[in-house]
Amino acid sequence: AQSVTQLGSHVSVSEGALVLLRCNYSSSVPPYLFWYVQYPNQGLQLLLKYTSAATLVKGINGFEAEFKKSETSFHLTKPSAHMSDAAEYFCAVTLNDYKLSFGAGTTVTVRA
Amino acid sequence: KAGVTQTPRYLIKTRGQQVTLSCSPISGHRSVSWYQQTPGQGLQFLFEYFSETQRNKGNFPGRFSGRQFSNSRSEMNVSTLELGDSALYLCASSFEKPQHGAFFGQGTRLTVV
């Protein structure tokens, strides 16, 4: 079975600072990995996905993530935080079983 | 291109009633998945449909059921509602399978009183 663990349920960053959200996966075979963002009272928006084409994946809104097989990690980064980045972020994994398994989520607050 | 549309956005039901939620996927998408989101349990997979066939089902009681129509629209039904069924129900559509990328609707907020 596949799963993901998100380290840190809350992250607080200053506007303009680096955003780093950590995700580690557990899978016996190469997985498909995703990052989603959720704003209050909204659904999930796909930020980026890893599908084995390239280890560094660029997404929307300036986010990117790097797949590191040796560390079983897929951390999400953004060089410079903006107030609009305040939201909850979810890492997700799937194999070929038609379902996504989500991490518990990380809430990001951005300080002015 | 229109996104995933879920109706209704909000519902209030009484314990013991049943409820039907609707999801219209992105045009051309044939895979539809349903998820339950609660503060305590997080995001949990309910079921996935493709071409009117359920391909996977999560660990939920039989009170939770779903179906998909020939136009790929999907419905989920919850019978004999319990207070613990209060949650945000999210529908996601994918081209053929979730690994292609799943796109979510705004969700239906169900409150059971």
Side-chain angles (χ1 to χ4, degrees), chain A residues 36 38 42 49 96-97 100, chain B residues 35 37 56 99-100 102 106:
Chain A
Y36 285 88
Q38 186 177 35
Q42 298 292 318
K49 63 180 181 181
N96 198 19
D97 58 354
L100 295 175
Chain B
Y35 294 83
Q37 185 177 27
N56 200 352
Q99 66 197 59
H100 294 152
Q106 302 244 46

Side-chain angles (χ1 to χ4, degrees), chain A residues 38 40-44, chain B residues 4-13 18-24 33-39 42-43 46 64 73-78 81 84-92 104-112:
Chain A
Q38 186 177 35
N41 296 316
Q42 298 292 318
L44 277 68
Chain B
V4 179
T5 303
Q6 290 188 245
T7 55
R9 286 291 313 275
Y10 301 93
L11 267 178
I12 300 176
K13 291 286 189 178
Q18 75 165 14
V19 66
T20 299
L21 312 181
S22 180
C23 173
S24 293
S33 307
W34 289 88
Y35 294 83
Q36 181 196 64
Q37 185 177 27
T38 60
L43 283 151
L46 281 157
F64 291 81
R73 192 177 69 84
S74 178
E75 290 181 346
M76 67 163 283
N77 183 276
V78 187
L81 284 165
D85 297 333
S86 294
L88 181 65
Y89 290 88
L90 293 163
C91 169
F104 284 78
Q106 302 244 46
T108 294
R109 172 74 63 184
L110 172 64
T111 302
V112 183

